[in-house]
Amino acid sequence: MAAKLLAGQTALVTGAATGIGRATAVALAGEGARVWINHRDQQSLAERLVEDIMADGGAACAIEADVSDPAAVAAMFETILGTGQLDMLVNNAGVILEKPFLATDEADWARVLGVDLGAVYRCCRHALRHMQPRRSGAIVNVSSDLGFLGREHYAAYCTAKAGVIGLTRSLAREFAADGIRVNGVAPGPIATAMVSPEHMSEEWMARELAIPMARLGTPEEVAAAIVFLLSPRASYFTGQILGPNGGSWMGA
Ligand code: NAD
């Protein structure tokens, strides 16, 4: 039997108990990676995911940390690196906020930027400090098509996701000579809790389903792009932002 694509490698996926993070953890484990399942206050979901992965012959471990908290992230990396190396990082954890800009106060701004951009910054720093001396590693940051497009009533989210693109491309340039690849995905609307039906207005549905493929994406379709970018198959990709989006945005 052929060796699996990511056999012998270890990955950390943030916000991995649900949605795109969960699908990514399953896909990484399916390719032979050992996966750390980061979550915040979702112990039972994370443990169920670990059980599912192990039942399929994979290896995974749940680890709790609020990625907006620098001390919690430092402790998480201490635990992970205390057990061995980290080859791959997926910065997936995210929160969304729909609010008119003038109602978006300092606390809202800090909360959204703290998770959607701040966590990417701090997890990348911990991972890169470890990866640089080893001269290998791969990172995928989860942005959004809204990071390119912007949207009314989503200024904090769009700003953070645009920041993720700038951070990804900057780190790709800075760490290429160290043998580390840094890429991103900018999904269109994906069927997860973040866009559950109760959050979809008629106007939202009309706009989103005007995409050429006329449907929402699945978490597994985003996970496939993430696994590709992390894998040796993407050995000449760095600083790239792939867009699993059904054709809704072709400008990246
Ligand atoms: P989701 O809500 O299922 O996943 C987000 C996960 O992040 C949740 O498990 C949540 O608990 C976790 N999380 C939030 N704050 C955290 C924190 N402080 N610490 C640790 N974990 C935290 O939704 P999803 O759609 O799977 O979102 C995953 C990523 O994909 C997010 O970054 C999101 O912005 C991005 N994205 C989603 C869509 C979409 O349409 N669903 C589109 C583009 C980008």
Side-chain angles (χ1 to χ4, degrees), residues 207-234:
R207 179 171 56 194
E208 299 301 341
L209 297 183
I211 63 180
M213 290 181 75
R215 66 172 176 85
L216 300 182
T218 67
E220 290 73 21
E221 287 172 317
V222 181
I226 295 172
V227 171
F228 165 70
L229 287 170
L230 290 171
S231 79
R233 288 186 181 147

Side-chain angles (χ1 to χ4, degrees), residues 87-110:
D87 306 286
M88 300 173 284
L89 167 65
V90 181
N91 281 303
N92 164 78
V95 290
I96 198 160
L97 175 71
E98 181 182 8
K99 235 183 200 188
F101 182 62
L102 295 180
T104 302
D105 63 19
E106 295 276 358
D108 292 329
W109 190 261

Side-chain angles (χ1 to χ4, degrees), residues 119-181:
V120 183
Y121 153 80
R122 70 184 58 90
C123 289
C124 281
R125 272 167 60 90
H126 283 283
L128 287 165
R129 270 195 213 108
H130 167 74
M131 291 172 176
Q132 190 178 44
R134 299 179 55 240
R135 301 191 63 75
S136 85
I139 296 176
V140 171
N141 298 323
V142 179
S143 178
S144 165
D145 60 350
L146 298 185
F148 291 109
L149 297 165
R151 177 154 301 165
E152 66 279 9
H153 297 180
Y154 289 91
Y157 181 77
C158 295
T159 301
K161 294 299 189 183
V164 167
I165 294 164
L167 177 60
T168 299
R169 290 180 166 159
S170 301
L171 298 181
R173 291 183 186 279
E174 191 167 336
F175 290 90
D178 293 305
I180 298 162
R181 298 182 302 101

